[in-house]
Amino acid sequence: MAQAVALVEQGVGLELTGTEHVPLLEKLVEWLPEADRAGDGLELTRKALEAHPGDAAFQALRARSLEQAGAADLAEVESLYRSALEEKPDLLVALLGLAHLRSTRAGGVEEAIELYRRAVDLEGESDDRAERALAALLQAEGRREEAIELLESLLRKLPWDAEAALLLAEAHLEQADGESLARSRSLLQ
């Protein structure tokens, strides 16, 4: 994160408007708000989207930067995510962003679950954000068995995933089911 801030501070007139810059821009959009520099992310994504108005990745990153900066107009954020998904239905950052946004809005939970499931189907074993987010949402919605199943599967692939292990423990505590707790405990040993 500190490197991202330094890059932005040193890069007066920093231009990350080429499509080859998408991975770097994605990381900056993620890290800059943690350093109270969300405005820099907004400016970088504005320039990128201005240079490539129809680019799905830049639309999704602009939506994400607006959301992280606390945009009052969530309809614009949602519109950008949806536009990105129209162009690239399998764009992970757009699927995760729209799923998160819909999970926080009235009547959007089922759509969020479906979007997270699509993201889970896309992801390789090295990226488990969608699985953890889906499990947390299922758990929040009282669908603990589904959450437990998903988390157990994730922990079989990534036994060192502390966040997934914590979510699994919370699901069992809420469920208070000794049998499923014993099954999961065996996974963690």
Side-chain angles (χ1 to χ4, degrees):
M1 179 181 62
Q3 293 170 333
V5 173
L7 177 66
V8 171
E9 286 175 347
Q10 294 170 5
V12 177
L14 186 65
E15 295 292 327
L16 297 175
T17 58
T19 55
E20 70 275 11
H21 297 123
V22 168
L24 175 58
L25 189 56
E26 185 174 354
K27 287 298 179 189
L28 287 171
V29 166
E30 179 184 332
W31 291 332
L32 287 170
E34 295 174 24
D36 293 326
R37 303 286 300 262
D40 291 327
L42 285 171
E43 183 61 17
L44 289 169
T45 57
R46 183 192 62 75
K47 287 179 182 178
L49 193 54
E50 200 172 80
H52 301 278
D55 187 86
F58 287 143
Q59 288 173 335
L61 291 174
R62 177 66 178 170
R64 188 169 179 198
S65 66
L66 284 167
E67 189 176 4
Q68 289 180 329
D73 184 7
L74 291 179
E76 178 186 3
V77 173
E78 185 171 336
S79 175
L80 283 165
Y81 280 135
R82 288 192 188 283
S83 180
L85 288 171
E86 282 177 23
E87 185 180 327
K88 284 191 176 177
D90 294 341
L91 185 62
L92 185 61
V93 68
L95 285 168
L96 292 174
L98 184 57
H100 175 264
L101 183 66
R102 295 300 296 154
S103 73
T104 63
R105 300 183 83 184
V109 172
E110 287 306 315
E111 181 184 9
I113 288 171
E114 178 57 34
L115 290 163
Y116 279 134
R117 288 191 194 285
R118 281 177 49 196
V120 166
D121 290 343
L122 293 177
E123 288 186 317
E125 290 189 27
S126 64
D127 190 341
D128 57 319
R129 293 176 292 171
E131 288 172 282
R132 282 197 313 263
L134 174 57
L137 181 56
L138 289 168
Q139 185 174 331
E141 290 298 306
R143 295 163 64 172
R144 286 179 194 82
E145 277 303 317
E146 289 177 80
I148 288 169
E149 216 174 277
L150 184 63
L151 290 165
E152 287 177 345
S153 172
L154 178 58
L155 285 167
R156 278 195 272 299
K157 290 188 297 187
L158 303 170
W160 57 86
D161 189 329
E163 189 177 343
L166 179 60
L167 285 169
L168 182 60
E170 289 171 352
H172 284 301
L173 286 173
E174 288 177 15
Q175 187 170 346
D177 176 353
E179 181 183 325
S180 62
L181 181 57
R183 185 178 70 231
S184 293
R185 185 176 288 140
S186 70
L187 280 172
L188 300 174
Q189 294 176 341

